[in-house]
Amino acid sequence: MFYSPKKKLNNIPIPPLYHMDTAIYRTPSLYEGSDTTPQRHVEEYEIELYTQSSGAAIINGEEYPIKKGMMLFSSPGDIRNSRLPFICKFVHLPIPNSEKYKKFRDFLDTIPKIIPRVDYDKYSLIFDKLEFLYNSQTPYREVSIQACILELINEIFTDTVIKTEYYENENIRLIIKHMEENLTKNLTLDELSDILHFSPNYFHKYFKEKTGFTPHKYLLELRITKAKKLLDSTAKSLISIAEESGFESQAYFCYVFKKETGMTPKEYRKKRLEEFIL
């Protein structure tokens, strides 16, 4: 027996993507003596795969240090320039700004503008294939290019939008685990950001967006939690608890503990002991 679907999926018209442009971009000699390229307004969708770690991508006022394997997905209306030098493989997609292709543009706009790291070999191969097709005279060239562009977009969408929640949870779990295992060390923003291969500024923003806390504040909460457990379950001295919880001194520990809990460590221990006895 045939059952019709409860909800019909709407088709999304796709424009002729074979009108795109693709190549490898190396900083031209005309920029010699300059640190950055001029600002410009983006008119087409621009996809860039960076082939070496140098320079920086600047988009809508935010600067992102370039590392090999970083990808940029810029939309019409963005304001862009770059810090030199850099090399990238690129694809530009002129998507008509019409009602007919609005759903397709909305779909593209769900993709993040900066993807800090991708499977470089996988994407490099797709970019190379596109460049070959673009410059070739093979039969049905347009169909092949269209298929290859859709493959590229699908891979990017899958690796970012679909897998974002999973990877973000894994990223945050990895950072928190590192914090928990290294509470007594002087953890720096550079060290934490390097775990995910992010720049310190991007990592700081990323971590706060995902947890609601700055890395410093989250680390402080972990240390306070550890101190509370030691105050609850041991008779260790305050200086020992301060050291095991990652505070640089007993005085600083007492200052931070009272600021965060409203009680000194001694007051907290006494209160918890009274609660236990009762």
Side-chain angles (χ1 to χ4, degrees):
M1 181 179 294
F2 173 76
Y3 293 91
S4 60
K6 293 182 180 179
K7 185 177 181 180
K8 183 178 179 181
L9 295 176
N10 294 322
N11 292 325
I12 299 180
I14 298 172
L17 301 173
Y18 49 83
H19 290 317
M20 58 85 184
D21 187 19
T22 184
I24 186 165
Y25 182 90
R26 295 178 176 84
T27 305
S29 58
L30 65 91
Y31 293 127
E32 287 183 2
S34 177
D35 292 333
T36 60
T37 60
Q39 279 192 347
R40 61 185 177 84
H41 286 81
V42 176
E43 297 181 356
E44 303 175 340
Y45 286 91
E46 300 179 0
I47 310 172
E48 296 181 0
L49 174 66
Y50 296 99
T51 66
Q52 66 177 26
S53 299
S54 66
I58 306 171
I59 182 167
N60 298 328
E62 291 286 332
E63 183 168 325
Y64 303 89
I66 291 171
K67 293 189 176 182
K68 180 179 178 179
M70 187 175 100
M71 186 178 287
L72 176 144
F73 197 104
S74 185
S75 306
D78 288 337
I79 300 175
R80 281 204 56 200
N81 63 321
S82 302
R83 191 168 300 284
L84 305 172
F86 69 94
I87 301 177
C88 69
K89 298 180 181 183
F90 73 86
V91 172
H92 290 178
L93 299 173
I95 311 297
N97 187 15
S98 65
E99 189 62 29
K100 180 178 180 179
Y101 299 121
K102 183 180 183 303
K103 288 184 178 179
F104 186 69
R105 294 170 68 95
D106 289 344
F107 164 73
L108 294 179
D109 288 340
T110 63
I111 295 173
K113 295 188 184 300
I114 296 292
I115 308 162
R117 53 177 176 170
V118 297
D119 183 335
Y120 179 80
D121 292 336
K122 176 178 75 173
Y123 283 101
S124 184
L125 186 63
I126 299 175
F127 275 85
D128 290 346
K129 183 164 64 172
L130 273 170
E131 185 177 7
F132 169 77
L133 291 170
Y134 184 74
N135 294 309
S136 73
Q137 298 299 322
T138 57
Y140 306 108
R141 167 181 172 274
E142 292 82 1
V143 174
S144 297
I145 290 176
Q146 190 92 345
C148 196
I149 287 287
L150 291 175
E151 177 191 2
L152 173 62
I153 292 173
N154 178 65
E155 290 291 341
I156 296 172
F157 182 78
T158 300
D159 286 345
T160 55
V161 179
I162 293 179
K163 293 182 180 178
T164 290
E165 184 175 351
Y166 170 78
Y167 282 128
E168 285 176 351
N169 289 341
E170 285 298 295
N171 282 343
I172 296 302
R173 182 194 63 78
L174 191 64
I175 294 298
I176 292 174
K177 183 173 184 290
H178 186 81
M179 288 179 172
E180 291 173 338
E181 293 177 349
N182 296 275
L183 279 181
T184 60
K185 295 181 179 178
N186 181 26
L187 294 175
T188 65
L189 193 62
D190 285 343
E191 178 182 343
L192 294 174
S193 61
D194 194 55
I195 294 172
L196 301 182
H197 306 290
F198 291 171
S199 71
N201 287 341
Y202 180 80
F203 170 76
H204 188 278
K205 180 180 178 181
Y206 174 88
F207 190 90
K208 187 174 182 181
E209 284 179 353
K210 306 310 173 190
T211 67
F213 297 90
T214 65
H216 174 75
K217 180 67 174 176
Y218 199 97
L219 184 59
L220 195 62
E221 291 292 326
L222 288 177
R223 286 172 170 159
I224 292 293
T225 300
K226 176 69 178 290
K228 284 181 177 179
K229 288 181 180 178
L230 293 172
L231 288 167
D232 286 342
S233 60
T234 74
K236 291 182 177 181
S237 66
L238 294 186
I239 190 168
S240 294
I241 291 175
E243 290 175 355
E244 291 185 40
S245 302
F247 293 95
E248 60 190 36
S249 69
Q250 179 181 333
Y252 182 63
F253 165 54
C254 292
Y255 166 76
V256 173
F257 194 93
K258 184 172 184 180
K259 182 180 179 182
E260 296 297 318
T261 68
M263 295 179 282
T264 66
K266 286 184 179 180
E267 290 169 342
Y268 175 84
R269 176 176 263 170
K270 181 181 178 182
K271 181 175 183 294
R272 293 289 288 171
L273 183 60
E274 290 172 351
E275 291 174 353
F276 178 75
I277 293 174
L278 293 174

